[in-house]
Amino acid sequence: MAIKLENVAIAVRDLEETIAFFTDLGLSVIGRDTVSGEWTDTAVGLDGNHAKIAMLQTPDGHGRLELFEYLHPDAIETEPTLPNEIGMHRVAFSVDDLDAALEIAAKHGCFPLRGVGTYQDIYRLTYLRGPSGIIVMLAEELRK
């Protein structure tokens, strides 16, 4: 059986704010829609499911994020996850210039959880809290 990762889907509080954050980091919007109806109720497992969605893609064309903002049922606010909690952990991106990426993130009010670390002189990396509390890892390869 062949298998291929299609995307990672993330429910967000504000679709436009989240799109702005990820497109400023370099992803592009490749599709948008508003979905509802029996097919989505069945697929997602929620009655009356109605959501605005956007599909974003990394410049290399391999990584995709599906962002969705629920219109119905109401979104359920939860505390942002911590790095050591079980469940969806983070979304990770490699960047050419970590400092430039952090400047972009800061314009959106998003800052490292603690700081920037260096892994074995291979990567400079950090976790930051993005829109809707999403943990985003940004890593710059040092051996280019």
Side-chain angles (χ1 to χ4, degrees), residues 35-38 40-42 45-51 70-74:
V35 296
S36 63
E38 184 178 337
T40 188
D41 290 0
T42 300
L46 290 173
D47 291 332
N49 186 46
H50 188 195
Y70 274 97
L71 304 172
H72 186 270
D74 290 339

Side-chain angles (χ1 to χ4, degrees), residues 20-101:
F21 173 79
F22 284 113
T23 56
D24 282 355
L25 283 174
L27 279 73
S28 57
V29 176
I30 60 170
R32 295 177 74 123
D33 202 357
T34 300
V35 296
S36 63
E38 184 178 337
W39 75 268
T40 188
D41 290 0
T42 300
V44 175
L46 290 173
D47 291 332
N49 186 46
H50 188 195
K52 296 186 297 186
I53 64 171
M55 186 69 72
L56 283 70
Q57 182 171 276
T58 56
D60 66 4
H62 296 293
R64 290 186 177 180
L65 286 182
E66 180 181 337
L67 305 173
F68 53 99
E69 178 184 335
Y70 274 97
L71 304 172
H72 186 270
D74 290 339
I76 299 170
E77 287 287 341
T78 59
E79 291 295 318
T81 59
L82 297 174
N84 62 333
E85 286 185 84
I86 302 297
M88 179 68 181
H89 182 64
R90 59 151 168 75
V91 178
F93 297 96
S94 58
V95 296
D96 289 338
D97 184 336
L98 181 59
D99 295 324

